[in-house]
Amino acid sequence: MNDSNDNKGLLSIESTHYDELPLSDNLAWLKSRISKFVQGGVYLLAGQPGIGKSRLSAQIALDLGRNNIRSLYILTEQSKEELAKIARQMTANWPQEAAILALKNVEPEETIYDIETLPSFLAHQVMSPSGKYHGVKLIVIDSIQGQGLAPGATTKYKQLYEFCRQCKGAGITVILVAHVTKRGDVAGPKDMEHNVDCVLVMRRAMIYRPLFVPKNRFGPAILKPIPLEMDKTTTVLKLSPHSETVSSVARSYLGKNVGIAEAQASVSLPAYGSRGKITAPGLPRREIEQLTTCISQLPNMQIEDLDYAIQCRLPGDRIYRSVLGLPLCMALIASYIQKDIPRHHIYLGEIDLLRKVREVPEQIIIDLWEELNDEDSNLKKPLRIFCPTESASILQEEVKGVTIVACERLDDAVYMTWPEISGAENNVGAR
């Protein structure tokens, strides 16, 4: 190659190097998902009220604080007393010196009533050497809609973007806490998401808080849910121990002529900027939509407007039947909360609009009863069979190695499959 051409075009552009803010091992799960927590990066953290956005933001600020890195926490919804209470709860089991250092390095500010004033505030209170907050490395705004900011307030949002641009130039990391709409979209104008470097979306799934990363300029987008759970004592968000579970298969039984059938499902966030869709070849779309609506009615289950990929494996290429409603719901929920369904579980029942598990055709129950008592049956024990209460009454007589679980509603099947998630109400109201 001729030397005169060595530094032309894209060859003349060097790779960008990003300095990082040092997160401790306590937040290794976050760093591993977003690749790096960049100094000067702008992060948008969105979710429903009470889902834990404020706690995650405070958790990050406290984590940096214990490394003697100062943060400014701009409050527009809660008071500084509430923030202090949360922070003390989060650091309750830390070594005393680390807790004191962390609390000292998170500085609350509750006099910003209009985001339009943020650039001026930044210039006088942060950028100026004589400013009260000069030297901070992280600024959290919790939240940008705290004063009822309308999506059409173009001028105000432009000032927010200018504030973020100036912070980026000064190497100050920004976390913008935002609300979401009823459809799960980030509240505010669409261009807000284009003016940040990384978008993190928190949803709700029983006791879990699935976290998605649909946009990330510093690493790959994460569309598979990152299941977080909240410590009941400290309210710190941490990675669920079930985060690596990928199974989302629920088994059913459709009579002697069909035998065991499987409902397979996966749930993910839609591609960035697109709406959720259902991919279910050969299955009735309206019935699938009804089932996802029923799941969304479960307490603390936010599963609307996601991507669903669904298959039902029926021996002999038989068509879908409504009696597969319960196993299909269980497969969808298992994928969303990233928990396994035990292989020895069998689910029978149609789900109606009120989440009631409807009676199974009597012939299926008769065939099942005969197979359970047949020593040469393909149904290998032990088995745990979830079915409507009417069907359970037919299977009352004990069969060695078989447990019958009567289910009035979908809720019963969920909580009896995963009893550990039934404490979802304990985390309701966490900011």
Side-chain angles (χ1 to χ4, degrees), residues 351-364:
I351 303 295
D352 69 13
L353 292 173
L354 298 177
R355 306 198 304 278
K356 180 178 173 58
V357 183
R358 300 181 64 179
E359 189 173 359
V360 177
E362 186 174 351
Q363 188 59 51
I364 290 180

Side-chain angles (χ1 to χ4, degrees), residues 29 61 67 96 129 172 186 199 228 232 266 280 296 311 332 338 340 353 368 398 403 406 418 422:
W29 61 263
N67 284 328
Q96 186 176 13
I172 300 171
V186 179
V199 178
L228 307 178
K232 293 182 179 180
S266 66
S296 296
Q311 283 189 333
L332 284 165
Q338 295 286 282
D340 194 14
L353 292 173
L368 176 59
E398 289 188 10
T403 302
W418 305 294
S422 62

Side-chain angles (χ1 to χ4, degrees), residues 172-184:
I172 300 171
T173 304
V174 176
I175 297 177
L176 304 175
V177 178
H179 299 168
V180 294
T181 66
K182 291 181 179 179
R183 293 183 62 94

Side-chain angles (χ1 to χ4, degrees), residues 115-284:
I115 67 170
E116 197 169 8
T117 65
L118 282 172
S120 175
F121 173 85
L122 181 70
H124 292 93
Q125 298 296 335
V126 180
M127 306 292 284
S128 172
S130 61
K132 181 179 179 181
Y133 304 115
H134 183 69
V136 299
K137 294 298 183 182
L138 171 69
I139 298 178
V140 178
I141 303 180
D142 185 11
S143 74
I144 56 177
Q145 288 98 11
Q147 300 299 324
L149 184 63
T154 306
T155 301
K156 295 181 184 292
Y157 276 103
K158 284 183 176 179
Q159 290 301 304
L160 175 64
Y161 306 153
E162 176 61 21
F163 163 80
C164 293
R165 186 189 66 79
Q166 291 179 13
C167 286
K168 182 181 290 288
I172 300 171
T173 304
V174 176
I175 297 177
L176 304 175
V177 178
H179 299 168
V180 294
T181 66
K182 291 181 179 179
R183 293 183 62 94
D185 298 324
V186 179
K190 197 64 180 177
D191 64 347
M192 180 170 65
E193 297 174 54
H194 299 298
N195 279 277
V196 302
D197 298 309
C198 183
V199 178
L200 301 101
V201 179
M202 293 183 70
R203 288 178 173 262
R204 194 189 306 275
M206 306 295 183
I207 62 172
Y208 301 107
R209 299 293 186 268
L211 180 70
F212 299 87
V213 188
K215 174 186 176 180
N216 189 4
R217 287 179 180 154
F218 308 125
I222 305 294
L223 300 184
K224 177 183 175 182
I226 306 164
L228 307 178
E229 58 183 68
M230 192 176 291
D231 186 276
K232 293 182 179 180
T233 302
T234 65
T235 70
V236 166
L237 288 162
K238 57 185 179 181
L239 192 65
S240 166
H242 306 283
S243 61
E244 298 305 319
T245 302
V246 295
S247 175
S248 57
V249 177
R251 299 203 304 160
S252 188
Y253 177 80
L254 297 181
K256 283 185 178 180
N257 294 330
V258 180
I260 292 293
E262 289 186 348
Q264 302 178 351
S266 66
V267 179
S268 64
L269 197 68
Y272 188 61
S274 66
R275 313 302 304 174
K277 64 181 184 298
I278 295 175
T279 303
L283 302 182

Side-chain angles (χ1 to χ4, degrees), residues 271-309:
Y272 188 61
S274 66
R275 313 302 304 174
K277 64 181 184 298
I278 295 175
T279 303
L283 302 182
R285 183 180 182 85
R286 287 188 178 179
E287 185 157 347
I288 301 303
E289 290 174 346
Q290 174 185 319
L291 293 178
T292 58
T293 299
C294 287
I295 294 172
S296 296
Q297 293 171 358
L298 285 165
N300 299 306
M301 177 64 79
Q302 186 190 353
I303 198 170
E304 307 95 329
D305 201 35
L306 297 173
D307 276 347
Y308 306 101

